[in-house]
Amino acid sequence: MADSMEKLVALCKRRGFAYLASEIYGGLANSYTYGPYGVELKNNIKQLWWKTFVHNRVDMVGIDGPILLHPKLWEASGHVGGFNDAMVDCKNCKKRYRADHLIEKATGKDLEGNLEEMSAELAKNEIKCPNCGKADWTEARFFNMMFKTEMNGLDGAIYLRPETAGAIFIEFKNVLDTNRVKIPFGIAQIGKAFRNEIVAGNFIFRLREFEQMEIEYFIDPEKAWEDIFEQWFNDQMSFFLKLGAKEESLRRYEHPKEKLSHYSRKTVDVEFLYPFGWGELCGLANRGDFDLTQHSDASGQKLEYFDATNNRRFVPHVIEPSFGLDRAILMTLLSAYTEEGEGEEQRVVMKFPKVVAPVKIAVFPLLRNKPELIAKAEEVFKQLNTRWHCEFDDNGNIGKRYRRQDEIGTPYCVTVDFDSLEDDSVTVRDRDTMEQSRIPISELVNYFTNNLV
Ligand code: GAP
């Protein structure tokens, strides 16, 4: 586990997991580009999520909705009126902060939502600006976090979606009409969401453009929901364990009743122990019938379910497991990061679970200036590359090549040496144990089929 964000950020840049975006223009507001290994890791996590929560279940289907959706959706959902954070500016250095975050850090008080109290608390405690040290603040005021843009043919503003969930609710009827889904069932979606966060930061923890993996799980309001809710919580936890989280770095945080959003009966977060402290990793909420009722009232369309077994028509309730993909990536990177060994033997190794490792196998010819070794190594590479994502590397000495693959988190390295030309075998080196075994080339596909699971 990485004990500092700096070490992880440096490795991500050095090895091509994530770069500061727009860097040649000086960077842009804490946004990041996933590099060649980062995008592989990201895609593997997405695929594992889809397999776990959609394909491996009989009660789930998926959709892929647009980022730009009808503005009325966000009025009905309450985002236009209430998706606000409280901000204050330092009068001295002009830096902007979340008022509730400053107060919570200084006093431990959670004053979300009350602007007057926040302003008073900042003054009373003489809370200092983290940037310049002065305690001279503007009044706290609300700021709507949705990004606005314009669309040809539409009067007024249109928003970049602040969560993926909206598209799921408004397609509820289409999914019912086109699929043989029966309650309880869920609709999943992975995609970008945008929030004009007052302060973004901590690498990919808080971004303004990020990706969510969300599920709306529709249930019968007359049946008990607590067990379904707990099962989803356990499934969320198991997913993070599959991504390599240690049990002790995950915990449950239940939102106190008095802090719940008006539509929520219960909200629980999975929190992760980041190097900067415990923070939200994903959420789970019972949203009741709030969303379907709101969209039904605002659109004039009935968003109901008909249960043919007992002739009942009703508006389903919804359990919402909501994952942030970038936070799942951050958690996976932090959990994989390992420093081990002493002196010459010291190494940094990313011990990713094999299923999400960006590269599964690296193939090395022992020397780059021996055409017969290169040809044999290429033959091995071609055999493996169509089944697993492989990398070919003939650059530098073998020790350095191992160190590079350790930092990328590649589970296996295959070296083709002079003996390979005689015995048609290669050396396979295991990332975690560093043990090396001699395996016949004809056995490699079998070997990796059994071991890359
Ligand atoms: N539909 C419910 C919803 O959006 P949320 O708690 O606001 O709930 C869900 O967001 C998840 O999305 C969070 O648990 C987090 O993983 C991720 N997330 C939210 N804001 C984010 C941000 N600014 N940067 C990165 N991830 C974010």
Side-chain angles (χ1 to χ4, degrees), residues 408-425:
I408 294 164
T410 307
Y412 295 102
C413 295
V414 171
T415 303
V416 174
D417 56 21
F418 288 105
D419 288 343
S420 309
L421 304 176
E422 306 297 321
D423 65 3
D424 263 326
S425 292

Side-chain angles (χ1 to χ4, degrees), residues 104-163:
E104 196 179 351
K105 206 162 176 207
T107 67
K109 284 187 194 163
D110 182 3
L111 294 181
E112 223 175 275
N114 188 328
L115 291 178
E116 264 176 43
E117 246 184 289
M118 285 190 223
S119 292
E121 212 47 48
L122 281 166
K124 187 176 94 193
N125 296 291
E126 294 184 12
I127 295 173
K128 294 195 169 59
C129 169
N131 184 50
C132 72
K134 289 263 160 36
D136 192 7
W137 300 103
T138 60
E139 291 297 307
R141 60 212 186 276
F142 280 131
F143 173 79
N144 190 289
M145 295 211 290
M146 282 198 294
F147 278 98
K148 277 188 199 158
T149 186
E150 293 161 12
M151 187 183 252
N152 284 329
L154 191 88
D155 286 336
I158 186 163
Y159 305 96
L160 305 189
R161 65 183 181 196
E163 57 176 19

Side-chain angles (χ1 to χ4, degrees), residues 29-57:
N30 197 63
S31 58
Y32 288 87
T33 297
Y34 290 105
Y37 299 118
V39 69
E40 296 295 337
L41 177 66
K42 183 176 185 180
N43 285 341
N44 292 344
I45 293 175
K46 276 200 240 189
Q47 273 166 21
L48 184 67
W49 188 88
W50 198 263
K51 187 170 180 328
T52 307
F53 294 114
V54 183
H55 288 177
N56 287 1
R57 300 178 59 123

Side-chain angles (χ1 to χ4, degrees), residues 163 195 197 205 207 210 212 214 280-282 320 322 324:
E163 57 176 19
R195 293 184 190 176
E197 298 280 357
F205 177 79
L207 299 163
F210 56 99
Q212 289 186 315
E214 291 201 291
E280 183 179 336
L281 182 54
C282 76
E320 180 189 64
S322 175

Side-chain angles (χ1 to χ4, degrees), residues 371-398:
E372 59 280 30
L373 287 181
I374 300 280
K376 192 91 185 159
E378 280 175 351
E379 199 183 293
V380 170
F381 179 81
K382 276 190 199 135
Q383 201 186 99
L384 302 175
N385 191 40
T386 49
R387 289 181 172 82
W388 299 281
H389 184 45
C390 295
E391 191 166 281
F392 190 89
D393 187 7
D394 59 4
N395 206 329
N397 70 43
I398 288 287

Side-chain angles (χ1 to χ4, degrees), residues 79 83 162-166 169 195 197 200 204-214 216 263 269-270 274 280-283 287 320 322-328:
H79 284 83
F83 195 50
E163 57 176 19
T164 55
F169 292 119
R195 293 184 190 176
E197 298 280 357
I204 52 174
F205 177 79
R206 194 178 302 284
L207 299 163
R208 294 193 173 91
E209 174 178 347
F210 56 99
E211 216 157 320
Q212 289 186 315
M213 307 186 287
E214 291 201 291
E216 304 304 329
Y263 53 76
D269 294 340
V270 176
Y274 301 93
E280 183 179 336
L281 182 54
C282 76
R287 301 176 66 107
E320 180 189 64
S322 175
F323 295 73
L325 176 55
D326 306 271
R327 288 197 192 167

Side-chain angles (χ1 to χ4, degrees), residues 336 338 340 347-360 402-403 405-413 428-436 452:
T338 313
E340 56 184 32
R347 67 172 185 153
V348 172
V349 51
M350 296 299 281
K351 293 191 174 177
F352 293 120
K354 291 171 192 171
V355 63
V356 293
V359 178
K360 307 292 189 233
Y402 282 153
R403 293 292 171 267
Q405 294 302 331
D406 284 346
E407 291 198 351
I408 294 164
T410 307
Y412 295 102
C413 295
V428 176
R429 183 250 199 194
D430 181 294
R431 175 193 71 193
D432 299 339
T433 62
M434 294 193 280
E435 266 168 28
Q436 303 191 0
L452 276 171

Side-chain angles (χ1 to χ4, degrees), residues 179-193:
N179 289 72
R180 299 198 191 288
V181 285
K182 286 208 182 73
I183 278 208
F185 76 93
I187 306 178
Q189 184 178 211
I190 300 180
K192 290 256 175 161

